[in-house]
């Protein structure tokens, strides 16, 4: 997934939906972080050193 940031540059992100025995893994953002306390799927930004691949 590619998303344009507020600075106008592209930011590449990936997300995973992990399901096991009818349960889904989800994380809560730290209270001190942007949008703290909200729930999110695991994922993250890509960097030059770390590239995401499609399975």
């Amino acid at each position: 997934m590619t998303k344009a940031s507020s600075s106008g540059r592209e930011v590449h992100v990936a997300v995973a939906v992990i399901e096991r025995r009818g349960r889904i893994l989800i994380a809560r953002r730290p209270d001190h972080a942007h949008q703290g306390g909200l729930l999110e799927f695991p994922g993250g930004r890509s960097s030059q050193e770390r590239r995401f691949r499609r399975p």
Side-chain angles (χ1 to χ4, degrees):
M1 171 184 246
T2 302
K3 174 182 168 185
S5 71
S6 59
S7 66
R9 63 186 175 91
E10 283 188 355
V11 177
H12 296 265
V13 298
V15 65
V17 177
I18 301 170
E19 182 271 334
R20 182 182 293 168
R21 293 183 228 139
R23 299 180 73 181
I24 297 175
L25 177 65
I26 196 162
R28 184 177 306 275
R29 294 179 64 83
D31 288 333
H32 64 276
H34 175 69
Q35 297 185 339
L38 295 180
L39 300 176
E40 64 183 359
F41 293 112
R45 290 184 181 183
S46 176
S47 67
Q48 291 291 359
E49 298 82 35
R50 185 179 72 184
R51 287 287 175 197
F52 299 115
R53 294 182 302 145
R54 291 184 186 200

